[in-house]
Amino acid sequence: MIKKVNTPLNEESARSLRIGDRVLLSGTVYTARDAGHERLYNALLRGEDLPFPLQGAVIFYVGPSPAKPGSVIGSAGPTTSYRMDSYTPMLLEHGLKGMIGKGQRNEEVKAAIKEFGAVYFAAVGGAGALLAERITDAKIIAFEDLGTEALRQLEVVDFPLIVAGDAEGRDLYIEGPEEYRAQHEIDADNYGGQLQ
Amino acid sequence: MREFDVQLLTDAVRRMAAQSNQILSPDVYAGLVRARESEDGLTAQSILDDILRNADLAAGKAMPICQDTGMALVFLQVGRDIHFQGDPYEAIQEGVRQAYEENYLRKSIVKDPLRRINTGDNTPAMIYTELIAGNQVKVSFAAKGFGSENMSQLAMLKPADGVEGVKRFILKAAREAGPNACPPIVIGVGIGGNFDKSALLAKQALMRPLDVRNCDPFYAALEDELLEQVNNSGIGPMGLGGRTSALAVSIEVLPTHIAGLPVAVNINCHATRHAEEVL
């Protein structure tokens, strides 16, 4: 089913989402990827304020391509999330409620999603032109020196996402392939062994 | 001897870098359409629909298919009867520089792997040169994203590991790439040669159109078998479950040493961007 969700997210709405839900997200999201996360993490360690309110925030892991004249943003698809895993539990502890990326998270991130009541959304990787259509505003709010990795505030309307990790600790990257193999009666010998 | 103005190289690279980043090549598009038809799950279908709509939109609006417009790779096959007027390598770098700036492509290259300052123009391209017969220059261009590059693997197997060992290693690499390499992926495999040549073969395998099989029936059969097994994993589009985990497995081989069996697996995403011109 398709659910309309607005940001900022509260714990109750984050906890109500389940893996496999298709979501159209609207509101403000913030962009950060490798270098941006390192800075946010170090700022939290030093007890400093972040450039945006983390409470209820959704972070989109993206380094967009440059905007053409007259465009809000260039292509803007998700980057692979695991590179942000070492920074993520602390961000969740400080109020982050949603992440948009692609690919599996580690056990620490999944545990923190469960503990703090958050949600991990997958966007379609490599669909940067399609996703850019749903971004109505973009501005750099910090770390401008990082270029494509600068921290941006985006406004999105009906941004298409799939819940990949939920607050019950479930993981669609595990359950989705398992379900396919069960439905098609494929055993481990037919694809070269266990996935995990 | 043909006198060859290197400006031709600049212009060709500039064209191919723009085109391959904006227009999905017909072999990849056709593979994705076939994949969409083969899926029976809603999530997989909707993801492939989005990927195809994205390709149409990018072509229509001259936008990059993916924001990771890649590291530029240029394979040069130079006819032995060519004499370059000017520096062909610098001409290629200039083509990359112009294309990435003019077309609003993302500049993703850092000058140093540890100190990580962006070069600002997506150079240097990685250039591979080979000598061939004749007086033409064949140029192949690829924009290689690193979500998939990061999932690539190399192993120095023992000859005793044989074809079964090779299969196990390739399936393991595909499995570990999982959702991270933006499936459905394209799997380039290099077997033989030595440590570095096997990796180069794997990369060259990725330049082959997806609908072309290895010309040796033994390896063509191995490609088909591996593709079926990878797709049995159920990883599916974007790793969220489904039939199409890979669009193709392409294998290239070279002679090797009696003591060795190098195998390299280079992985590409569903936005496999390649182009070729003969000058």
Side-chain angles (χ1 to χ4, degrees):
Chain A
M1 71 180 278
I2 296 180
K3 294 181 176 172
K4 293 239 184 191
V5 175
N6 293 307
T7 66
L9 282 175
N10 59 33
E11 186 170 337
E12 190 190 345
S13 60
R15 285 196 185 276
S16 73
L17 295 168
R18 290 288 169 273
I19 57 166
D21 284 351
R22 288 166 70 190
V23 166
L24 295 172
L25 187 77
S26 298
T28 301
V29 304
Y30 300 94
T31 75
R33 45 174 291 161
D34 310 61
H37 269 77
E38 189 185 1
R39 292 193 189 178
L40 293 174
Y41 182 83
N42 287 328
L44 285 176
L45 279 183
R46 290 190 300 260
E48 295 168 7
D49 286 340
L50 299 190
F52 64 94
L54 206 47
Q55 196 59 47
V58 175
I59 293 181
F60 180 18
Y61 304 143
V62 61
S65 62
K68 282 186 178 180
S71 297
V72 167
I73 199 165
S75 288
T79 194
T80 317
S81 306
Y82 74 90
R83 299 194 313 271
M84 273 51 81
D85 281 355
S86 54
Y87 308 114
T88 300
M90 188 189 277
L91 295 175
L92 289 165
E93 190 185 332
H94 284 79
L96 177 71
K97 282 283 168 265
M99 296 145 284
I100 304 171
K102 65 177 173 86
Q104 273 188 281
R105 312 308 303 262
N106 67 16
E107 293 307 321
E108 288 74 22
V109 172
K110 287 196 248 183
I113 288 172
K114 195 172 170 182
E115 180 179 353
F116 300 109
V119 59
Y120 172 47
F121 298 108
V124 177
L130 187 78
L131 292 167
E133 293 255 291
R134 308 291 177 89
I135 299 170
T136 56
D137 192 35
K139 61 177 183 233
I140 293 177
I141 56 169
F143 314 155
E144 190 159 7
D145 59 301
L146 295 179
T148 184
E149 294 203 55
L151 214 149
R152 289 172 171 82
Q153 179 176 328
L154 308 182
E155 300 302 321
V156 301
V157 177
D158 289 343
F159 203 67
L161 304 168
I162 298 167
V163 176
D166 67 26
E168 290 188 335
R170 293 175 65 191
D171 181 350
L172 189 58
Y173 289 108
I174 293 173
E175 294 189 28
E178 276 176 359
E179 192 181 313
Y180 177 87
R181 291 195 301 274
Q183 276 171 1
H184 296 78
E185 296 175 350
I186 296 164
D187 62 39
D189 291 343
N190 287 320
Y191 63 95
Q194 287 299 321
L195 272 177
Q196 292 305 311
Chain B
M1 192 61 74
R2 173 184 168 202
E3 292 297 319
F4 188 102
D5 183 352
V6 295
Q7 181 65 38
L8 289 174
L9 277 176
T10 299
D11 295 343
V13 167
R14 180 177 163 217
R15 263 193 310 273
M16 289 189 285
Q19 185 200 351
S20 62
N21 267 301
Q22 294 165 354
I23 302 169
L24 202 56
S25 61
D27 58 319
V28 182
Y29 195 95
L32 288 165
V33 170
R34 278 197 302 277
R36 169 64 180 82
E37 286 162 2
S38 75
E39 293 290 351
D40 48 24
L42 271 180
T43 301
Q45 287 175 348
S46 79
I47 289 169
L48 288 167
D49 283 340
D50 278 354
I51 288 171
L52 287 164
R53 277 180 27 226
N54 181 71
D56 296 340
L57 202 60
K61 297 179 87 169
M63 272 179 87
I65 297 161
C66 177
Q67 73 290 337
D68 183 356
T69 51
M71 174 181 255
L73 314 182
V74 176
F75 291 85
L76 269 187
Q77 291 180 299
V78 181
R80 280 191 292 268
D81 300 327
I82 290 282
H83 177 255
F84 285 114
Q85 293 175 326
D87 179 349
Y89 290 158
E90 181 41 40
I92 288 168
Q93 304 299 358
E94 183 57 26
V96 168
R97 208 170 278 134
Q98 290 178 9
Y100 277 71
E101 189 56 37
E102 292 165 0
N103 297 286
Y104 300 89
L105 305 180
R106 197 179 80 182
K107 289 89 181 172
S108 310
I109 305 304
V110 292
K111 188 173 188 294
D112 178 285
L114 293 178
R115 286 167 290 188
R116 306 199 77 81
I117 304 297
N118 199 297
T119 60
D121 59 8
N122 217 53
T123 67
M126 300 291 120
I127 303 174
Y128 311 80
T129 316
E130 199 183 329
L131 288 175
I132 57 172
N135 64 357
Q136 291 180 318
V137 178
K138 290 185 188 166
V139 193
S140 302
F141 178 91
K144 186 70 179 74
F146 255 57
S148 55
E149 191 76 358
N150 281 339
M151 296 294 116
S152 303
Q153 299 195 21
L154 194 150
M156 302 303 285
L157 299 182
K158 298 187 293 291
D161 292 324
V163 69
E164 289 307 317
V166 167
K167 283 196 261 186
R168 268 198 306 277
F169 178 68
I170 295 166
L171 291 171
K172 171 180 160 286
R175 203 161 63 229
E176 289 175 1
N180 293 341
C182 277
I185 57 175
V186 178
I187 302 172
V189 179
I191 310 174
N194 54 3
F195 180 75
D196 47 294
K197 280 282 187 180
S198 65
L200 179 60
L201 278 178
K203 181 135 276 136
Q204 285 170 333
L206 291 177
M207 300 301 289
R208 198 202 292 164
L210 302 194
D211 44 4
V212 176
R213 305 265 48 83
N214 191 297
C215 55
D216 178 339
F218 174 79
Y219 285 106
L222 189 57
E223 289 173 346
D224 290 343
E225 183 187 342
L226 285 164
L227 179 61
E228 189 185 329
Q229 291 209 321
V230 170
N231 284 336
N232 279 341
S233 70
I235 292 169
M238 292 316 297
L240 296 174
R243 153 125 197 95
T244 322
S245 305
L247 296 172
V249 178
S250 300
I251 300 174
E252 296 289 343
V253 300
L254 269 182
T256 191
H257 189 278
I258 50 172
L261 177 51
V263 188
V265 179
N266 195 196
I267 292 180
N268 221 339
C269 56
H270 60 75
T272 285
R273 291 154 293 182
H274 56 174
E276 196 180 293
E277 286 193 23
V278 179
L279 305 173

